[in-house]
Amino acid sequence: MKDKIGIIAVGQAGGNIGQLFEESGYSVLYLNTSQEDLDTLKNAKHKYHITGGEGCNKDRNKAKQLVIDDFDNIAEQIDEILKCEILFVVFAAGGGTGSGAGPMLMDLLLDGSSRFVGAVTVLPAQTESIKAQINAYECFSELVQIEASAAVFVIDNNNGEKMQLNPQFVNSFNGFVDIPEKYRSDRGNIDTAEVMESLKAHGMAVVMQYGNSNSKMADILSSLNKTIYAPLEPDKRIKYITGALDESVTDFSDLQKTVGIPVDIFRAYSGKDKAHLMLSGLSYPKTRLDVIHEYVSENKERIMNNLNAGTIRLDNDINFLSAPAAPVQPKTGKQQSRQEIMSRYLRK
């Protein structure tokens, strides 16, 4: 299964998650505009520094331009290293390199290709900067327009410390991918094709694993509001329910009341081992994104005041012992030469 799935880890946050995937046996290509960030990825096999990049300091447009200028080389790296049926682009929605390049890279890779391309992205916690919130909202405004994308997993930093959320996600993803090899029963199985079908479903997806003592349907239902992901939308849109669950779980009607009625249910039996569940083809987390939009809007005036805090005008008549100084002209948007800048401060 892992040979069918390739990971493109973009930016610093993508790199952190990518390393967990690589340690789990997946092929990973790390892309970054910052060589310094790439240098922190110890034992990473395939790293590519995007030509001309010196980091993007949360500037999405800078990341986009760098990827556009270097896309031929990036695409060559992907084709050479990741010969996979489905690719997942991994990035932080609130950053610079990943946020700017992630959705565009997905779209470019899907163009004229038979490959499936999904995403693993991370929403910033509400305690993170306004810039991160704005980037995340703009990132998703692009991401939701990619109609041909495969599953998109949306980790939400509001739900815990990011260095703990990342391994929880990768462990759950691994457990799900391993279902065909690990759980076989004459009562029913999930095969590789069904796992891949779940991962290819367009829309948001969540994947979870449970200890045996928490794998009863009542425990699963109570956990849906306490996941590492962005909250599920109330519209109950869903395509697939896929899981290896305890034998006591024989009825999915309560789960369907909560998440909706899927096109299909793929079911295996986990016995006394951990249980695994994936919901795919869900709606994107508009409610969570609306919270980001509202937060940014409420703080817009305050942020604009902060940006203008250094702009003040002082009287220039204090030095009565010297000839009056020429008034300092305010800077315009036009770029000025060093001589022009200096001349503004010269006395007449």
Side-chain angles (χ1 to χ4, degrees), residues 44-261:
K45 189 174 181 182
H46 302 293
K47 298 188 283 188
Y48 182 76
H49 178 230
I50 297 171
T51 302
E54 297 179 348
C56 285
N57 54 290
K58 286 191 168 67
D59 187 332
R60 299 183 72 247
N61 290 327
K62 184 189 293 187
K64 291 177 186 179
Q65 189 61 56
L66 288 166
V67 169
I68 288 170
D69 293 343
D70 200 28
F71 183 69
D72 287 344
N73 291 324
I74 293 171
E76 184 178 337
Q77 290 283 316
I78 292 170
D79 290 340
E80 181 179 328
I81 295 165
L82 302 176
K83 303 181 187 299
C84 306
E85 186 175 338
I86 182 169
L87 302 174
F88 283 97
V89 182
V90 185
F91 57 93
T97 299
S99 175
M104 184 181 68
L105 189 58
M106 291 171 65
D107 224 350
L108 290 168
L109 292 172
L110 283 165
D111 185 36
S113 172
S114 61
R115 284 178 301 203
F116 290 84
V117 182
V120 179
T121 189
V122 183
L123 285 173
Q126 196 163 337
T127 54
E128 295 181 51
S129 71
I130 285 285
K131 181 64 173 173
Q133 311 295 329
I134 293 171
N135 281 357
Y137 196 87
E138 290 185 337
C139 177
F140 264 85
S141 72
E142 297 166 354
L143 184 59
V144 299
Q145 298 300 317
I146 306 174
E147 296 180 357
S149 66
V152 174
F153 298 91
V154 186
I155 301 169
D156 191 342
N157 277 351
N158 263 348
N159 296 332
E161 204 280 317
K162 59 186 176 182
M163 300 310 286
Q164 295 177 350
L165 298 179
N166 294 347
Q168 284 184 54
F169 167 71
V170 174
N171 289 339
S172 295
F173 188 94
N174 282 336
F176 176 74
V177 167
D178 286 341
I179 287 175
E181 294 183 10
K182 194 168 183 181
Y183 303 111
R184 298 178 182 177
S185 168
D186 55 8
R187 300 184 62 183
N189 297 298
I190 292 174
D191 59 31
T192 297
E194 289 166 336
V195 168
M196 294 300 286
E197 183 71 13
S198 302
L199 292 172
K200 292 173 183 176
H202 175 71
M204 192 175 82
V206 301
V207 61
M208 298 160 284
Q209 68 177 2
Y210 306 88
N212 181 259
S213 61
N214 300 108
S215 61
K216 307 297 187 289
M217 183 55 73
D219 298 314
I220 291 171
L221 290 172
S222 68
S223 73
L224 288 177
N225 293 322
K226 298 179 287 187
T227 71
I228 65 173
Y229 306 100
L232 303 184
E233 286 297 294
D235 61 7
K236 298 185 180 180
R237 174 182 175 267
I238 186 170
K239 190 168 185 181
Y240 297 121
I241 295 174
T242 311
L245 304 174
D246 184 271
E247 292 184 2
S248 67
V249 178
T250 58
D251 185 354
F252 283 79
S253 59
D254 286 341
L255 179 60
Q256 291 181 78
K257 287 176 186 176
T258 302
V259 302
I261 299 175

